[in-house]
Amino acid sequence: MVYLRKIKKLWNNYLLGGLTHQSHEQIRIVEAINSFSIVGVTSFLAFGSLHLYLGNLVQGFILLGLGLYGILNVVLFRVHKNHVVVKSQILLIMIFVLDFLLFTGGLRGTGIFWVYTYPFLAFYLGGKKWGFCWICGFIITSVVTGLLSEFEVFDIYYSFYQIRQMIFSFFAVVLLVFYYERIRTTITNALLKQQKEIVRKEMLEEQFESAEDLQYYLIPQHNLFYENFETVSFYKQALGVGGDYFDYFKMDANNLVVFLSDVSGKGIASAI
């Protein structure tokens, strides 16, 4: 159990990138960057090693190089903490990798299936606006790759028609992810707004209770005794605080001074 707690602590420290007192949105971005980085690095190193084992030296060394670059990128991110630069690098590297897979076909022609991971990555890291821009960039490079295949400028694994169909289906996935991201953003903003309203309401309630206590202690807390009568004070506002106020004090052994006031209305407005 001790080792599991240590591993969990190290994993959380890696995900947060050493951040502690940051906003919820910044923590979400850092967790996303570090999560995608570890997945990407692991994939590059694994598939690179597999390509080398199968004798595909060029593909293997390129993927291993990208994996090592990903490790360096994670280390540098913990130093400069510039998530804008890191997000751009991740999305740019993924465009290069996906185009590389379209050129080579990946492992036995399965490389084209990896392109459908890009919409999720782009929208999650870049948001709706910049995510859509990055996706358009990948679509443009895919069209160029398809044209190079059509005119046989390079020896590309997939044909123009395969790449064309990939772009159409890719765009359909983009629309689905876009609307999902739009709904997610709307719900997140609504929850954040509701949370702020709850905090604001709690603060107002605390201030209201303080004002109620203060007004209560302004009322006489002691009774006065005379030969034929005695004073007893009781104070209860309709809305916690109000415009009613009274006080009394002993002038001499036979005289009592009473002060009464009443502002029209109820609640905070009359209390002020």
Side-chain angles (χ1 to χ4, degrees), residues 17-253:
L19 296 177
T20 53
H21 305 292
Q22 298 292 335
S23 66
H24 174 77
E25 182 63 19
Q26 288 178 320
I27 292 176
R28 185 192 72 83
I29 292 173
V30 172
E31 286 182 337
I33 290 174
N34 289 324
S35 298
F36 287 127
S37 295
I38 194 67
V39 172
V41 168
T42 304
S43 300
F44 290 151
L45 294 179
F47 283 104
S49 301
L50 185 57
H51 274 291
L52 290 180
Y53 176 77
L54 296 175
N56 303 324
L57 299 182
V58 176
Q59 298 180 40
F61 281 121
I62 289 178
L63 292 177
L64 287 178
L66 290 174
L68 295 176
Y69 178 78
I71 295 174
L72 178 63
N73 203 27
V74 170
V75 174
L76 293 177
F77 178 52
R78 294 182 69 90
V79 176
H80 60 69
K81 302 186 186 303
N82 191 337
H83 60 83
V84 177
V85 174
V86 177
K87 288 190 297 184
S88 300
Q89 289 178 346
I90 291 175
L91 294 172
L92 185 62
I93 289 173
M94 282 305 300
I95 289 180
F96 170 78
V97 171
L98 295 176
D99 285 331
F100 178 73
L101 292 175
L102 291 180
F103 264 84
T104 62
L107 285 173
R108 299 179 180 177
T110 60
I112 197 170
F113 299 114
W114 288 96
V115 302
Y116 301 106
T117 63
Y118 195 71
F120 298 93
L121 182 66
F123 281 126
Y124 200 83
L125 290 181
K128 290 187 295 184
K129 179 181 177 181
W130 289 108
F132 197 77
C133 291
W134 281 104
I135 288 171
C136 289
F138 171 67
I139 291 176
I140 292 172
T141 58
S142 300
V143 171
V144 172
T145 303
L147 293 175
L148 292 176
S149 176
E150 175 69 12
F151 294 105
E152 299 180 353
V153 178
F154 295 103
D155 185 17
I156 298 175
Y157 186 89
Y158 298 104
S159 67
F160 171 78
Y161 300 101
Q162 290 175 312
I163 294 176
R164 184 192 64 183
Q165 292 304 116
M166 180 276 296
I167 293 174
F168 288 150
S169 57
F170 176 83
F171 192 71
V173 174
V174 168
L175 292 179
L176 291 175
V177 177
F178 175 80
Y179 283 109
Y180 164 78
E181 180 67 17
R182 183 177 180 181
I183 294 172
R184 188 193 68 83
T185 303
T186 302
I187 294 175
T188 301
N189 292 336
L191 290 175
L192 290 175
K193 184 179 179 180
Q194 185 180 20
Q195 186 179 11
K196 290 180 180 179
E197 288 295 327
I198 293 174
V199 173
R200 179 175 173 272
K201 185 178 179 180
E202 290 177 350
M203 292 178 60
L204 288 176
E205 288 179 351
E206 291 179 359
Q207 295 175 1
F208 194 78
E209 290 176 359
S210 299
E212 184 180 359
D213 293 339
L214 177 62
Q215 194 171 43
Y216 175 78
Y217 285 112
L218 290 175
I219 303 301
Q221 303 297 313
H222 59 281
N223 299 333
L224 299 179
F225 299 92
Y226 285 83
E227 183 177 352
N228 299 321
F229 67 93
E230 66 178 284
T231 63
V232 178
S233 64
F234 176 78
Y235 180 79
K236 182 65 177 178
Q237 292 287 2
L239 299 176
V241 293
D244 302 322
Y245 175 75
F246 68 88
D247 195 5
Y248 53 77
F249 58 90
K250 209 173 198 179
M251 191 170 185
D252 52 42

